[in-house]
Amino acid sequence: MMTGDEYRASLDDGRATFFEGEQIFDLPGHPILGITVDSAAAGYDRFHDPAPGAVGAFMAVPGSAKELREQVELHETVDLLTHVTYASIMTLLTAADRIEATLPDQAARIRAWVKDAQRRDVRITQCITDAKGDRSRRPGNQDDPDAYVRVIERRSDGIVIRGAKLHISAASMGHELMTIPTKGMKPGEDQYSVACMVPVGAPGVKIINTTYAPRHADTRDFPMSGNHHTPEGFVIFEDVFVPSDRVFLAGEHPEFAAVFAHSLGLWERLGGLAAFVTGYDRLVGLERVGHIKEKISDMMINATLIRASLEAAIENCSVTSDGAAFPSELYTNVGKYHGAANYALMVRHLHDIAGGSILTAPGMADLDNEQTGHLVRKYMGTLQSVDGIYRSKLFHAIRDYTADALGGWYAVTNLQAGGGLYAQRIVSRLHYDLEHAKKLALEAAHMGESANGSA
Ligand SMILES: Cc1cc2nc3c(=O)[nH]c(=O)nc-3n(C[C@H](O)[C@H](O)[C@H](O)COP(=O)(O)OP(=O)(O)OC[C@H]3O[C@@H](n4cnc5c(N)ncnc54)[C@H](O)[C@@H]3O)c2cc1C
């Protein structure tokens, strides 16, 4: 396994990664992106095991509800790159399981690749969301055929792909881009049915980074985003060659394209749901004003429902013939949907209760200043027991988490990451037991099961 320093060195692989108009040649040394590299390097050091052939504990495939819960709890404590690596591995294994019966060679190739990736101890990011062009048109019916990533050439030793994948979390920080279709493809859209693993440093890959990292000299005013942030990558594939042993769908079998996206959706939404459990509790905890009980009760009820969904997703997991435990599709999607749909309401309650100091509390350096510090402390205080420094820090945390760059990032990400509400609604509908619900309704109406109402 790699150490943190070996990980840092491994990023010097000729990758073409850009930030604010310039190519970055030294990611670890970059004043902003380097902070994310440090978080990822700490993840390497945390899980490092020098034994030959060791695999990080964060990679373990759960085999029961208990192990699934342990993995979910562990992943709440890891950096984003480590987490998406695990979710990618689980996505690939889930997809292998689902295609095995019809495409055994591809399933075997996926499993062999996963083993090799674990041996190399690489980090993997998830390239799913295509540029998509005109949303009302199918991939094969766009003005620009590159709106969805596609195979432009088949060779005896691999394929050449072209297109772009947008909003890819931590793309520049990993080693491998898990590139899979964003949705199901139809007959005639074969060229868009492509699933493969692309090294970040492969010729033709370009990544443009954006980040919510604060641009402020004093990171104490940004207690959450100041020292931990992860950029998103705008990943472009300019005619990239991918060797056969890294190709799982090679512009064929459009009927299997959706398997990859759905497999990812499950693991991505489980991660999203687990993050909501902590996030919702954090929003409740940030608000301590006793007299606005109704709103706080609402927040507590929502936080508890989210936790209950995660519990139900884990407890109702299914175990495959391989012995791998997958969370329940229904509870994962419904919980993630509920968390995403109600996040804005939770933040609204918090802002309503907390007041304007969320935005205007003086900075920590103003508290340090001899001329202003004691005054800020005096006027930012409330009760004798609640001193101005304490309140200022709380307001900085609320602003950073909900009302500044990181807050804006959460507002959009909670809705969109893992697919929008629309996608979660579709999967929820697919797994809900509608027949049972219909039966109950008909019984209540004393209509039996027949369409004309006769018992
Ligand atoms: C911070 C962040 C990190 C992300 N990380 C990743 C990542 O690591 N990897 C990755 O692959 N993606 C990632 N995503 C992308 C995320 O999955 C997408 O943002 C999401 O799927 C919506 O796609 P879009 O942004 O292209 O928006 P659009 O496609 O424009 O969609 C906007 C809304 O319209 C809905 N919609 C779109 N098309 C239709 C249609 N035909 N019919 C009905 N409704 C439709 C969508 O569900 C969505 O609600 C990330 C997004 C964010 C914001």
Side-chain angles (χ1 to χ4, degrees):
M1 292 180 74
M2 279 195 260
T3 62
D5 280 341
E6 284 165 347
Y7 161 69
R8 285 188 182 88
S10 73
L11 298 176
D12 187 13
D13 58 359
R15 60 188 59 200
T17 183
F18 298 79
F19 185 55
E20 298 189 333
E22 290 184 1
Q23 183 165 356
I24 308 301
F25 294 98
D26 176 15
L27 270 174
H30 190 272
I32 294 167
L33 303 181
I35 291 173
T36 319
V37 173
D38 285 344
S39 300
Y44 267 96
D45 284 334
R46 173 178 171 190
F47 291 107
H48 183 255
D49 178 346
V55 173
F58 72 92
M59 281 274 200
V61 176
S64 63
K66 180 175 170 288
E67 287 175 13
L68 185 56
R69 183 189 313 283
E70 284 165 5
Q71 272 306 49
V72 166
E73 284 170 5
L74 175 71
H75 276 266
E76 276 301 280
T77 68
V78 305
D79 65 283
L80 190 86
L81 183 60
T82 304
H83 171 68
V84 292
T85 298
Y86 174 69
S88 303
I89 293 286
M90 293 310 296
T91 297
L92 291 171
L93 294 177
T94 306
D97 191 63
R98 291 176 180 178
I99 65 173
E100 179 112 61
T102 323
L103 303 175
D105 291 349
Q106 285 85 339
R109 210 174 296 150
I110 291 177
R111 294 207 169 94
W113 190 89
V114 164
K115 268 216 166 77
D116 186 54
Q118 289 176 328
R119 183 190 58 75
R120 290 186 288 130
D121 197 18
V122 288
R123 295 292 187 256
I124 307 164
T125 59
Q126 308 169 338
C127 287
I128 298 93
T129 311
D130 288 282
K132 293 188 286 200
D134 181 343
R135 268 59 172 170
S136 67
R137 295 201 216 164
R138 297 284 319 167
N141 201 22
Q142 298 282 336
D143 290 339
D144 182 344
D146 302 336
Y148 288 74
V149 169
R150 65 187 181 119
V151 177
I152 59 159
E153 190 187 338
R154 288 168 200 279
R155 297 187 191 163
S156 58
D157 53 349
I159 56 173
V160 179
I161 61 169
R162 182 189 294 167
K165 298 280 190 183
L166 312 193
H167 335 287
I168 311 308
S169 300
S172 289
M173 308 298 162
H175 305 96
E176 297 278 352
L177 303 162
M178 181 181 72
T179 307
I180 61 178
T182 199
K183 61 179 180 182
M185 297 297 159
K186 297 206 159 144
E189 294 174 341
D190 303 41
Q191 61 179 322
Y192 299 103
S193 176
V194 53
C196 58
M197 303 302 306
V198 183
V200 173
V205 173
K206 284 192 179 127
I207 305 177
I208 302 168
N209 298 276
T210 53
T211 179
Y212 56 82
R215 304 302 179 81
H216 192 292
D218 194 342
T219 53
R220 290 179 303 169
D221 292 349
F222 296 82
M224 301 198 188
S225 64
N227 298 310
H228 293 284
H229 42 76
T230 308
E232 263 68 48
F234 188 111
V235 180
I236 302 153
F237 299 101
E238 264 192 312
D239 302 1
V240 176
F241 173 68
V242 190
S244 300
D245 59 345
R246 296 173 150 269
V247 179
F248 311 141
L249 284 182
E252 61 206 354
H253 305 298
E255 69 278 18
F256 286 103
V259 170
F260 287 84
H262 288 166
S263 303
L264 175 103
L266 178 62
W267 290 100
E268 207 34 63
R269 287 168 203 156
L270 181 74
L273 175 59
F276 277 141
V277 168
T278 316
Y280 267 50
D281 281 342
R282 187 179 291 144
L283 288 172
V284 175
L286 278 168
E287 187 42 72
R288 308 176 56 250
V289 183
H291 66 279
I292 311 181
K293 286 206 178 102
E294 256 179 56
K295 290 185 178 107
I296 297 177
S297 306
D298 264 7
M299 292 169 81
M300 287 172 175
I301 288 166
N302 268 321
T304 307
L305 275 174
I306 294 297
R307 188 174 290 278
S309 303
L310 179 64
E311 288 295 323
I314 293 171
E315 281 303 321
N316 292 282
C317 66
S318 45
V319 180
T320 66
S321 52
D322 269 0
F326 299 125
S328 145
E329 290 270 10
L330 181 64
Y331 293 117
T332 301
N333 277 276
V334 167
K336 169 71 171 63
Y337 177 91
H338 186 80
N342 288 287
Y343 190 80
L345 179 69
M346 295 284 284
V347 172
R348 191 187 90 190
H349 282 337
L350 179 61
H351 288 178
D352 189 12
I353 297 166
S357 296
I358 298 170
L359 297 182
T360 64
M364 298 310 290
D366 302 308
L367 276 155
D368 293 343
N369 183 292
E370 261 184 29
Q371 293 182 63
T372 57
H374 62 293
L375 296 168
V376 174
R377 200 167 167 171
K378 171 178 158 75
Y379 292 112
M380 282 300 291
T382 49
L383 309 169
Q384 285 291 313
S385 56
V386 185
D387 140 289
I389 298 183
Y390 179 90
R391 279 189 85 228
S392 298
K393 283 187 173 173
L394 213 53
F395 281 122
H396 290 317
I398 296 175
R399 175 182 42 70
D400 192 17
Y401 190 40
T402 64
D404 220 319
L406 174 64
W409 184 89
Y410 271 123
V412 177
T413 305
N414 284 336
L415 281 175
Q416 300 294 357
L421 294 178
Y422 172 74
Q424 285 142 50
R425 248 189 246 126
I426 292 179
V427 184
S428 300
R429 260 206 319 264
L430 205 64
H431 292 275
Y432 179 78
D433 190 349
L434 188 57
E435 287 314 310
H436 178 65
K438 275 190 196 160
K439 187 165 165 284
L440 291 178
L442 289 172
E443 278 169 11
H446 300 290
M447 288 168 69
E449 303 223 342
S450 72
N452 64 11
S454 59

